[in-house]
Every structure is written in C-alpha cells, then in structure tokens.
C-alpha cells in the first residue's frame, strides 16, 4: 500500500513539473493566457522637473498600448541623456536635438562621438531666451559685457550655450551657477543682470520673474544667431511675433534660435520595439497636453519633423505608414 502511495506522489510531482513546463512554453511562444514583461529604461531629468513629468506621461501612454512594457525613468538631462543612450545604459530618453547632434558628431561639450544615436520623433521647441529687468538698460545680449548672468546649474546644457554666445559676441561676463528657480529670483532681487536659458514658452520661473518685476527678453544680432546655428547642430532661427511671447509686460517680438525636444534611442534597439513606442505616442499625443503646457496644440504629424538627427528605422516605418514622411 505504501508503494502505491509513493508512486501516486511521484506521478503528481511529474504532472506538476509537466504543467509548469507547458506554461513556460506558452509564455515563450506568445500564449494568450500570459505574457513576459519587457523592462525598459527611459532617461529624462530629475524628479519633479518638466522633463520628468513629461517622461511619466510618455511612458504611461506607451504602456497603455503595450501592457508588457515596464519602464523605469532615470535622471539624465540635456547633457547626460545623449551619453546614457549612446552608451546603451538606457533604451531611450529625452534630449535637445542640438545636444543630440553635437553628441553624434563629438562636438563640445561631448568628449567623443556617439554615432549610434537615433531619433524617435520631435516634440516642442526650446527657445533661447535671455531675461533682464526692463529698467536695466540691457537690450541686446552684447550689452552683457562685464555683467552678471546665470544659466542654471553649471554643467547643464544652457551653461554651454551661454558661453558659446559670449564667445561669438567676443565679450566676457560673470556666469553664476544657480538652480533655475533661484536664477529667476536673482534677477528680481538684482543679484544678477540676466537669466539665460533654452526652454519652451511659457517657462515657469521666467513667468514668475515677469509677474514680480517688469521684464524684457534681450535681442540677438542675426549674424550671431546664424553663426550659432552653423556651429551648434539642430538649431534654426525663429521670428516670434509679440503675441507669441507669453510673459506679462513683454511688448516686443523676438528673433532667436530654437531646437526641439526629441526622443532618442540607439541604433541597436529593435525596429519592432521603436515602432510600437512611436505608434503609441502618435495615437495618444493629445493626452500629453494634460502634463505639459508646451504640448498644447501639438499635432501628431509634428513628431515626424526633421530635427537634424537620423531617424530610427522603427520610427521611419511608422511615419511612412501614416504618410508623414
């Protein structure tokens, strides 16, 4: 009788093992009853910032259409994100097109070429802006000779851009390192003369500055803007009429340069993965208006606009499929 019991227990163990093996095979073969999660890493910026909030929105709409995708959001920033993508530490992430172009070519501030970077699509434009108090007497960026300015924390990509403008104008200024909110307050309090940054409009700290003190955006000489665009990839000139300047009290239009925020990946990510991600973003793009004011009115076909960075084949496949390329 004991032998029969032992045999029964052995048969049950064998049956359980076979069942587990069958379930594993079903998952690996794409069985309808289960799926394998795919872990993905997305580089953005520090938690709480505009990029981080937008990254949450982008990854959520991708997951909505692809429930097997699981994202973690990593801090990267305008300078760090292209490096993280180029070194394959993340699967995809945000970057300024100008920075991604510089990373591909190995231009400053990047120390080597990351020629494997590819674009998944373009989002809103980051405009170069220099805010000063209206009664400061500063009207053009060239008036900043020997004056004080801040462009956010040292090492941020705007820090590199402001130093390029100083070089092109052939002037010197005292560039202070402050976080973005403190940069605006420093102008209000008179501790610095200018807050310089490349961001979408409207930008919260800039709006707060304009609410507290009469403010103007400085002009830039067009020949300087042309040189900047020639030396820094991914930028082009924009002539913004005054009605498009969203800050209180600004009475003039602005000729400046801008570069889009793009989603980047590396050239070894699969065509199928990138196609699914781009398709999900395009078909749900209006949901991003709820997480970023800069995305209001954004048209899905604008994702396919040329940003000066080569497209990943998966993105190109979708854009051609819908007639945007």
């Amino acid at each position: 009788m004991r032998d029969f019991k032992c045999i029964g227990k052995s048969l049950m163990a064998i049956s359980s093992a076979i069942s587990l093996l069958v379930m594993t095979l079903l998952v690996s073969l794409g069985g309808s009853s289960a799926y394998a999660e795919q872990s993905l890493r997305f580089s953005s910026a520090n938690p709480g910032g505009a990029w981080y909030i937008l990254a949450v929105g982008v990854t959520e709409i991708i997951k909505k259409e692809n429930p097997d995708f699981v994202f973690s959001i990593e801090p990267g920033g305008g300078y760090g994100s292209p490096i993280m993508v180029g070194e394959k530490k993340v699967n995809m992430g945000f970057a300024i097109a100008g920075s991604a172009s510089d990373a591909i070519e190995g231009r400053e501030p990047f120390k080597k070429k990351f020629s494997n970077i590819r674009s998944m699509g373009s989002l809103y434009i980051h405009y170069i802006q220099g805010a000063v108090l209206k009664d400061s007497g500063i009207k053009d960026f060239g008036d900043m000779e020997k004056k004080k300015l801040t462009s956010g924390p040292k090492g941020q990509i705007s820090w590199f851009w402001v130093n390029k403008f100083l070089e092109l104008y052939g002037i010197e200024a005292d560039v202070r390192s402050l976080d973005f909110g403190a940069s605006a307050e420093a102008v209000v309090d008179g501790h610095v003369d200018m807050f310089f940054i490349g961001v979408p409009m409207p930008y919260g700290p800039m709006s707060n500055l304009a609410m507290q003190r009469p403010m103007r955006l400085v002009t830039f000489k067009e020949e300087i803007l042309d040189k900047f665009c020639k030396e820094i990839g991914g930028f082009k000139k924009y002539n913004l009429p005054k009605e498009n300047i969203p800050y209180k009290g600004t009475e003039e239009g602005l000729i400046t340069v801008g570069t889009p925020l793009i989603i980047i990946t590396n050239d070894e990510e699969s065509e199928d993965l990138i196609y699914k991600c781009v398709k999900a973003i395009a078909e749900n793009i209006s949901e991003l208006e709820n997480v970023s004011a800069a995305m209001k009115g954004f048209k899905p076909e604008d994702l396919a606009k040329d940003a000066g960075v080569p497209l990943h084949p998966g993105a190109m496949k979708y854009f051609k499929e819908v007639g945007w390329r």
Side-chain angles (χ1 to χ4, degrees), residues 202-277:
Y203 179 58
M206 203 77 82
S207 296
N208 292 339
L209 194 167
M211 291 292 290
Q212 295 181 69
R213 297 283 300 275
M215 180 196 92
R216 74 156 51 94
L217 296 179
V218 298
T219 59
F220 299 90
K221 293 178 180 177
E222 288 203 52
E223 60 267 28
I224 299 294
L225 295 177
D226 291 336
K227 288 180 181 178
F228 185 88
C229 291
K230 186 175 181 180
E231 295 191 23
I232 308 296
F235 276 87
K236 71 175 188 177
K237 279 197 301 188
Y238 288 88
N239 190 346
L240 304 175
K242 64 180 181 180
E243 55 268 23
N244 284 14
I245 309 297
Y247 305 122
K248 179 182 177 182
T250 50
E251 300 164 352
E252 302 166 345
L254 178 67
I255 299 176
T256 186
V257 291
T259 184
L261 175 66
I262 62 175
I263 307 173
I264 58 172
T265 186
N266 71 75
D267 59 6
E268 292 186 16
E269 295 295 344
S270 75
E271 182 177 306
D272 181 63
L273 168 67
I274 303 305
Y275 173 88
K276 287 178 178 177
C277 291

Side-chain angles (χ1 to χ4, degrees), residues 131-191:
V132 298
L133 296 182
K134 195 169 287 186
D135 61 4
S136 66
I138 301 168
K139 294 185 177 180
D140 185 84
F141 187 87
D143 297 331
M144 286 300 296
E145 176 74 48
K146 304 297 183 183
K147 290 185 168 58
K148 300 184 290 292
L149 64 83
T150 177
S151 61
K154 188 174 183 178
Q156 293 285 336
I157 199 66
S158 287
W159 183 277
F160 170 71
W161 292 336
V162 77
N163 280 285
K164 176 57 69 174
F165 270 102
L166 290 170
E167 175 191 322
L168 293 174
Y169 267 93
I171 62 175
E172 294 181 358
D174 179 4
V175 183
R176 307 281 180 91
S177 177
L178 299 169
D179 70 35
F180 299 118
S183 294
E185 289 301 319
V187 174
V188 171
D189 296 338
H191 298 310

